[in-house]
Amino acid sequence: HVLGRFSKEDDAKIRGVFALAEEGLLAILQEDVKTAMNAVNGKKVGEQTEETLLAPLREMEEYTQLRLAVDKGETPVTVVGGMEAQKCHMIYGMEDLADVRLIVTYNEIRARELLEDYRLYDKNVMYYPAKDLIFYSADVHGSAIVAERLKAIQTLAGDKPVTIITTIDAGMDACVPYEKYESQRIRIEPGNLLNLEEMQHKLSAMG
């Protein structure tokens, strides 16, 4: 009997089991039982390949048409229908079309749900929170929001592909231009000699 909701860790494991079961069923349908057994038996949960994850999508005509439209720049494209669990799967299937992907949703609760779901497909996903008008000035909560926002910005400054999940509210925040962040970065390497007075002026200018 299930007496309560699964924890995040157990939920991730169960989704991994489902993915393995899906891989086995596809192998049975496309090949035979022996091939399916050789492919799945002994494989640990979470070892499913990208090909396994994308195979069901590639069989959908809607997915093919969506990729063609985005690839040709025929945007915006509207996709209607589909279960909540399918949305992250569909987005993941479009990852290779852009190095930086932005997912915008209606509130923080839904954004964090998407964050947990999307991490099952891609670990390189981050949440960019909106400023909380009530708690933003509070020491603990406000500092956590600032740290999360800066972490997302720092990741964007790198050269690795990333998916950012945020809300409409966060998109309406007045933000400092990215070039400003880049120009104010201070890099300190082991062995560097620092002018403390000069460093003090720079940090004061940054606020």
Side-chain angles (χ1 to χ4, degrees), residues 108 130-137 141 145:
E108 180 182 0
K131 290 182 179 179
D132 191 316
L133 297 180
I134 298 177
F135 298 106
Y136 193 74
S137 59
H141 191 72
I145 293 176

Side-chain angles (χ1 to χ4, degrees), residues 60-168:
M60 299 170 55
E61 178 63 24
E62 295 83 356
Y63 171 71
T64 303
Q65 295 300 322
L66 176 62
R67 282 188 62 90
L68 286 173
V70 175
D71 196 37
K72 292 179 180 178
E74 299 173 358
T75 56
V77 180
T78 302
V79 180
V80 180
M83 299 170 58
E84 291 296 325
Q86 293 175 316
K87 293 178 180 178
C88 284
H89 193 189
M90 181 72 76
I91 296 170
Y92 172 73
M94 310 290 290
E95 258 198 358
D96 60 306
L97 297 179
D99 288 336
V100 178
R101 285 82 53 177
L102 177 65
I103 302 174
V104 182
T105 188
Y106 49 87
N107 64 23
E108 180 182 0
I109 295 175
R110 181 58 184 144
R112 294 197 180 275
E113 290 175 350
L114 283 170
L115 181 69
E116 293 301 319
D117 289 343
Y118 204 82
R119 276 181 177 154
L120 297 175
Y121 299 98
D122 184 0
K123 299 297 183 184
N124 197 22
V125 57
M126 310 199 71
Y127 174 55
Y128 182 84
K131 290 182 179 179
D132 191 316
L133 297 180
I134 298 177
F135 298 106
Y136 193 74
S137 59
D139 289 341
V140 177
H141 191 72
S143 297
I145 293 176
V146 170
E148 204 164 13
R149 287 163 67 96
L150 289 176
K151 187 176 180 181
I153 293 171
Q154 184 179 18
T155 303
L156 286 170
D159 55 358
K160 294 182 179 179
V162 64
T163 300
I164 301 293
I165 297 178
T166 189
T167 62
I168 295 175

